[in-house]
Amino acid sequence: MESNSKYHQLPILDGLELLDAKSHILDFPFHTHETFNIALILISTFNTKLSDKFLKAPVGTLSITNPKEVHATPCDKDLGNSFFTYYVSPEAIKTFNNGVEVFFEDKIIYDQQLFGEFYALSKNITHTNFEKRLSQVLKVLVEKYTSPMRFNFQTRNLFQEFINETTFEKFSLSKTAHQFGISKFKFLRLFKNETGLTPNHYILLKRIEKSKKMLKEGKPVFDVAIDCNFYDKSHFYKNFKRFTGVNPSEYQNAALLS
């Protein structure tokens, strides 16, 4: 079964991104986003792994993750998963709550009316009233289903400065563990406890995020792959699609058209 996913970026709501995924069978590994992810589940139950739970979102529901919330999405290898995701910036969401940050405690929302409105919008993203109507629907979603709080995803103490100052381009587990005066096994355990990700996954995600910025700037895909320390173009394509659902060229084309 071949996936037929399309990515869109629109110059509204602080850079709205959209993923129209059809028959997607490639698992999304543990990762995070800087945005709120609002996914409409269209075909096959949508599975989400969090650090402390495993959630199942049936067809016709909304599946939501908060910014910086570590999650993974295993996909159905037989039927594939079809879903439409709105990636909405925290700043945009705040405007629908009088400038106050919010958090979705409920990750799966059963609301037939809201689902129907989001679905109708997903079929009309080029309509002149799209931004206005989407803003109205997002405002209702925020008012009905968010908490006036911000979940704390920041690392505690040990790795915060290290993460902020390290480029990870020449990361060595053994050398880094020695730098902290602990074994590499303890380093792995503590790092995952504090970030929700293994060092390898964290580094790969940082490289993907760097590559997205470069693609948006119009840099050649091959140059981006090399600059972001991927072995070759094929290795870059494979990993980029694992995390985003589309290949780098599709992502770049949509970003440059926005």
Side-chain angles (χ1 to χ4, degrees), residues 47-65:
N47 298 310
T48 301
K49 289 182 180 179
L50 301 176
S51 58
D52 60 345
K53 63 187 69 174
F54 187 89
L55 304 175
K56 290 181 173 291
V59 172
T61 62
L62 303 176
S63 177
I64 300 180
T65 54

Side-chain angles (χ1 to χ4, degrees), residues 20 40 42 84 86 117-125 130:
D20 185 3
L40 314 181
L42 305 174
F84 190 99
Y86 296 82
E117 292 178 348
F118 274 116
Y119 181 74
L121 284 164
S122 73
K123 297 297 184 182
N124 294 280
I125 65 174
F130 177 78

Side-chain angles (χ1 to χ4, degrees), residues 50-258:
L50 301 176
S51 58
D52 60 345
K53 63 187 69 174
F54 187 89
L55 304 175
K56 290 181 173 291
V59 172
T61 62
L62 303 176
S63 177
I64 300 180
T65 54
N66 298 283
K68 300 187 184 301
E69 191 165 37
V70 178
H71 62 287
T73 307
C75 290
D76 191 310
K77 298 299 182 293
D78 297 319
L79 298 176
N81 287 88
S82 294
F83 51 92
F84 190 99
T85 303
Y86 296 82
Y87 300 91
V88 189
S89 77
E91 290 303 313
I93 289 293
K94 279 170 57 177
T95 64
F96 306 121
N97 192 49
N98 299 317
V100 179
E101 294 177 328
V102 298
F103 177 76
F104 286 91
E105 293 188 64
D106 294 328
K107 305 295 187 287
I108 301 172
I109 295 176
Y110 302 80
D111 191 314
Q112 188 174 6
Q113 182 175 349
L114 268 180
F115 179 90
E117 292 178 348
F118 274 116
Y119 181 74
L121 284 164
S122 73
K123 297 297 184 182
N124 294 280
I125 65 174
T126 59
H127 196 281
T128 54
N129 288 329
F130 177 78
E131 180 178 7
K132 179 180 179 181
R133 186 59 190 144
L134 177 59
S135 296
Q136 293 171 340
V137 176
L138 286 171
K139 183 173 178 60
V140 173
L141 177 70
V142 168
E143 290 176 346
K144 291 182 68 174
Y145 295 106
T146 61
S147 301
M149 57 172 285
R150 187 173 190 274
F151 194 84
N152 183 12
F153 290 102
Q154 293 184 348
T155 53
R156 297 179 183 87
N157 296 304
L158 186 59
F159 298 120
Q160 186 64 67
E161 184 176 348
F162 167 72
I163 287 172
N164 290 341
E165 296 182 356
T166 302
T167 63
F168 293 100
E169 291 177 359
K170 296 181 179 179
F171 175 78
S172 166
L173 175 59
S174 297
K175 289 182 179 179
T176 304
H178 180 72
Q179 173 187 335
F180 281 92
I182 57 180
S183 72
K184 63 181 181 180
F185 302 105
K186 186 172 184 179
F187 179 88
L188 284 170
R189 178 173 60 80
L190 292 175
F191 192 93
K192 188 170 184 180
N193 285 344
E194 293 192 5
T195 66
L197 298 167
T198 65
N200 284 341
H201 256 150
Y202 186 90
I203 293 166
L204 183 55
L205 183 58
K206 294 278 283 187
R207 288 158 62 193
I208 294 295
E209 290 304 314
K210 178 182 177 181
S211 73
K212 288 166 72 174
K213 292 179 181 178
M214 295 178 69
L215 290 169
K216 288 180 180 179
E217 294 169 356
K219 303 287 178 63
V221 174
F222 179 78
D223 291 351
V224 174
I226 299 304
D227 289 346
C228 293
N229 296 305
F230 290 94
Y231 302 133
D232 52 31
K233 189 174 178 180
S234 176
H235 184 235
F236 179 41
Y237 265 62
K238 177 182 177 181
N239 282 283
F240 192 92
K241 190 165 185 177
R242 286 177 66 209
F243 282 89
T244 66
V246 294
N247 69 49
S249 294
E250 292 169 330
Y251 181 91
Q252 185 175 62
N253 290 338
L256 295 179
L257 285 173
S258 64

